[in-house]
Structures are given as structure tokens and as C-alpha cells.
Amino acid sequence: MVSLIIYLTINSEVKLTKNILKLLAPIMIAPLSLILLSSCGSDQLLMKADYNVGFYGDEDLKTNEIKVVKVNDKRYKANSDTISKPKTKKSKRRRGKRKKKKVEIQDSAVYAGYVYTGVFNKKTPFVLDVPITEFVEKSINKMISYPGQNDSFIPITVDIDTFKVYEKIGLISEKGVVICALNFHYQATSDSFKIIKTYSLQEINFASDVTNSMESLVYKAMHECTEQFIRHHRKGKYEVVSAGAATEAFSDDGKSKMPVVVEETAYGEKAEESDMRSVVGGAYYGGTKIKSGIGVFYNSLFYKKDEQFVHGVGLVFSYYDVENMDDGIIGTFSGFGFRYNPRYYFFKSREGLYLAYGIRLSFGNEKIDDAENFFFGPTFEEALGIKIGPLTIEAGLFQLLHWGSKMLPDDTGFTIGAGINF
């Protein structure tokens, strides 16, 4: 992954303050304008169920031998913590004559989680236009059934163990997560009952808003759980029975007996959900042509539990004092943009020593006297760092190459910096 930085060069006679303002003004105004135009906060984000999306057209899943006839919502009750509740008379009296706020009472049957909307990232309920039990039933049957169901089939009962949608936000990045766990129950033979457990974790990381991608993750999760069930179901032995027979209690000559219940998982190891942290800091640069320079950066870092590899993207602003004595050019070089930053920790705790790497691809125009030059090229950074609590300290080397630049065509040197993780 390579990110882009636009660098601008200025002559040494021009004041630094004036050029920094010129540089930062359009960069700061443009994103703010896009945010204001893109979305506004709302009481809830409504997902309209669509059973004709591309994920549901997988012909390999089709069969007339099974059908979902019932779905039970067994989700963890903690979901209700984020559902608005009606205000009591007592709470109303406490407010006195203050302006009453409108309260949206969310139905837990359609509530799936939350996303962040609007300029100020308002926490907004993510709800479906139909009960989630209905959405799950129709989705699965759409994926597995041909038009015209046979009279005899295996009736399936599905328990929704988890159906969760949520976002995490950083300073410049967002992560969307959908977790779906469905347990499929059915009569395998005349005296046995089978439960097949499925699980799907869908994630997406963007340096911008992920809210518009959440619906797609929901459909992907439903498809993966259904696919796991079908693949696993086809491996086993079973008897096709009528829907009516399946509703009758297991019995032998009028005497009830307990069927054999077999639980199986249709997935391997559960995918580990990734987490996101942020780091802000600064660095000092010194090289052959860069006599002194500073960089101020912010990065979002993504990782999984016990994983030693961490990586992410972020913003960086750099300012260099350049003395290119080979070409007789002295000036300043500044830029604002993005940077990709992977780390590898020596310990699973992600504390102590680590190796850090950074890569930037810069391009732009430089003006020297009356001549303008277009340049582009990479900057690589390698460093050894140490993390103690929230504090990180790094020291290493950098290599810079700008094709087309006369002021700063290339350089090598050292860098040392520090950051705070949160």
C-alpha cells in the first residue's frame, strides 16, 4: 500500500508563515466542505432489505431439499442497552419547563447496531425495515431455494446467536464491522437431531466514511453463514421428511424418547476481530541536503488480538531546510499528505521493541526563480522503536528520491521521533 503526498517548494526569500497558510488553507477547507455536503446526523439509519443483491445469486447453494421455516432471535440482551426507552413521568417533572427532546424508541426486533453519521459523528441506531428474524429467513431461503419448493423437504429452524453492526472511528479513519452467528437446527434422521453452527466476521477499513458500506457487509455476512451451512450439510447423512412430520414429537409406539442431538461447526477458527488505535507525534530529519527538518504525523493503526504486526495510514506534515550545494540551491521544502506505516513488535503484548517502516510517494511542482519543474518519487523510512505504555520512541534512516526535482533530487540521512498512542 502506497499513499500520496503533495510537496510544494518555495524560495528562501519568501516568509515561511505565508506559504504554510497558502498550503494548508485549501487542504483544510476541501475536506470540511465534503463532510458538510456528504451527510447530516439522523435519528436512525434504515436498511431496506433487498433479496436480489448479487451475493444471493450463488447457484452452488441452490437446493429443493431444505427450507427455513422458523427463525428465533437469541441475540445477547446487551443490544437493548443502546435502545432508547420511553421517559417516565418522574423524569419529565425533573426537567420542569425546559424544552423537551424528542425520543426515538427503537424496536429491538429491527435493531442491529449503530453507525456514526453527520459532521460530528453522531452515534445513530442501525435498523432494518423488517424484523431481523424475517430478514434472516427470507435471505437464506432466497439463496438456497429454487422457485417452486418440493412438498417434502427438511424444515430448518435458525437461532440468531449474533447479528451485530457497528463502527469504530479514529481521527481520519473509520472501521465498519458486521458479525453474524447463526445456528441451524434440523432433523437429520428419524431419531437424530443436528445443529450446525455458522459464523461470519466482515470488516472494512477506510480513511473516510464507511457508513455507506455497512449494508454490503450485512449481505456478505448472510451469504457466508448460508454457504457454510450448505457446504457442511451436504457432507452429512440425512433423510428428507415432510414439513408436517418434522413438527411431530419424536416417539416410538406412542412412547416419547429423546432424540440424539449432534452439534457441529461449519467454520474453522473464528476470525479475530481487528482493533484500531491511534498515534500522534513528531520526528526530526537530518541528511546531506536536508540540513534540518521536522515532521508532524497522525496514524491509525490496525491489529488483531495477540498479533505482532500492526499497520495503518495517516496524515503527515513535513518541513525541510534544504542546502543543495551540488546545484547551488538553498531553500525550503514543505508538504502535507498521507503516509503508510507498518510495525512489527517483538512481543505479542505489543510492548517493548519493534521495527517500523514508512513509505510515501510524493509529487508536485517546484519553482526556482522563474523555472517550474514537475517531480515525483518515494521516501522510505526504516526505524527501530520502543513502546513503553502509551509512549513510543523511534530512531532510524530515510532515503528520498525525487525524479525531476532540482532542489531536492535525492537524499539520505537519519530520523528520530516520538509519539503517543491512544
Side-chain angles (χ1 to χ4, degrees), residues 141-399:
N141 284 332
K142 175 68 176 182
M143 285 186 274
I144 66 177
S145 301
Y146 287 110
Q149 186 76 39
N150 292 339
D151 292 334
S152 295
F153 57 86
I154 299 178
I156 306 293
T157 297
V158 177
D159 286 347
I160 304 175
D161 179 82
T162 307
F163 194 97
K164 184 163 57 175
V165 177
Y166 64 95
E167 289 184 14
K168 290 185 177 181
I169 57 174
L171 183 62
I172 61 167
S173 59
E174 294 189 6
K175 183 178 80 165
V177 181
V178 173
I179 301 176
C180 181
L182 306 177
N183 299 331
F184 294 75
H185 303 243
Y186 64 96
Q187 182 179 345
T189 63
S190 59
D191 61 352
S192 66
F193 195 79
K194 183 173 285 189
I195 301 174
I196 296 180
K197 297 182 176 182
T198 66
Y199 176 84
S200 178
L201 168 63
Q202 302 293 330
E203 294 182 317
I204 189 169
N205 297 310
F206 278 159
S208 58
D209 188 32
V210 300
T211 302
N212 292 334
S213 302
M214 300 306 291
E215 290 189 14
S216 177
L217 296 186
V218 171
Y219 293 119
K220 284 183 179 180
M222 283 301 307
H223 177 267
E224 184 173 26
C225 284
T226 305
E227 183 181 36
Q228 289 173 1
F229 164 66
I230 290 295
R231 304 295 186 205
H232 197 81
H233 170 73
R234 286 173 177 169
K235 295 178 183 178
K237 295 181 180 180
Y238 55 89
E239 298 175 5
V240 178
V241 298
S242 67
T247 61
E248 298 175 0
F250 289 91
S251 62
D252 184 16
D253 297 331
K255 297 179 181 180
S256 297
K257 66 177 183 179
M258 293 297 294
V260 177
V261 178
V262 180
E263 289 191 8
E264 298 177 353
T265 56
Y267 55 89
E269 292 186 13
K270 282 189 177 182
E272 290 285 352
E273 181 188 354
S274 64
D275 205 347
M276 180 175 66
R277 292 292 183 269
S278 299
V279 56
V280 294
Y284 177 86
Y285 297 86
T288 304
K289 297 180 177 67
I290 299 176
K291 291 305 176 183
S292 64
I294 59 171
V296 179
F297 62 86
Y298 164 85
N299 267 87
S300 288
L301 300 176
F302 300 94
Y303 61 91
K304 294 181 179 180
K305 183 180 179 181
D306 296 328
E307 191 173 76
Q308 294 163 248
F309 177 71
V310 175
H311 68 106
V313 294
L315 295 171
V316 59
F317 173 77
S318 301
Y319 173 77
Y320 303 141
D321 282 317
V322 179
E323 293 184 11
N324 183 356
M325 304 311 295
D326 295 338
D327 299 310
I329 300 175
I330 299 176
T332 57
F333 205 91
S334 60
F336 182 80
F338 298 94
R339 173 176 178 251
Y340 177 58
N341 179 217
R343 295 180 184 178
Y344 181 81
Y345 287 89
F346 290 95
F347 306 101
K348 289 185 177 181
S349 63
R350 291 183 297 276
E351 292 287 335
L353 292 175
Y354 64 88
L355 295 174
Y357 193 74
I359 184 169
R360 292 178 272 170
L361 181 62
S362 57
F363 65 93
N365 286 303
E366 65 178 17
K367 185 175 182 180
I368 302 175
D369 296 327
D370 294 328
E372 288 192 11
N373 303 308
F374 175 79
F375 67 89
F376 70 96
T379 299
F380 302 99
E381 299 173 5
E382 311 90 23
L384 178 66
I386 184 170
K387 182 175 181 290
I388 305 173
L391 179 65
T392 55
I393 301 174
E394 297 179 3
L397 304 173
F398 74 87
Q399 303 85 42

